[in-house]
Amino acid sequence: MRFGVCLADRNDEINRWLEDNPLVLGGGAIVLGLVLLGSGVYELKSGVTRDKKGRVVEGQMGKTLSIVRIVIGAAICLFGVYKLIA
């Protein structure tokens, strides 16, 4: 129980720091989004995608997984740009 309380207090401090420094949060989100976007585009072009356990996913399911990664990467990039502007 004590560990959960300590972790929650630490998260509050980190969240306050990120609220005071939106450039760090926005920049980090943009980098993460670009990595996801780039890996999705690469996997879509190569036709071979890997799932979270490292197994090869090919065919329509592989394309779908690549497109999902591209969409989520773009959404994270948009969030990063929003945080930089706001």
Side-chain angles (χ1 to χ4, degrees):
M1 183 85 178
R2 180 78 180 136
F3 176 73
V5 172
C6 180
L7 187 61
D9 291 341
R10 181 173 165 219
N11 283 342
D12 287 341
E13 293 172 13
I14 293 171
N15 286 337
R16 271 188 253 124
W17 185 80
L18 285 173
E19 189 175 316
D20 293 340
N21 302 301
L23 293 177
V24 174
L25 181 61
I30 289 174
V31 168
L32 180 65
L34 288 175
V35 167
L36 213 63
L37 191 71
S39 70
V41 169
Y42 174 77
E43 291 169 350
L44 191 61
K45 282 186 168 188
S46 69
V48 178
T49 306
R50 298 197 177 269
D51 64 359
K52 66 181 180 179
K53 294 184 180 179
R55 296 177 297 215
V56 174
V57 180
E58 295 178 318
Q60 189 62 36
M61 190 62 190
K63 288 180 183 179
T64 304
L65 187 57
S66 296
I67 291 170
V68 166
R69 287 182 180 160
I70 291 169
V71 169
I72 291 175
I76 293 173
C77 284
L78 287 174
F79 171 75
V81 169
Y82 167 75
K83 276 305 205 184
L84 290 176
I85 293 172

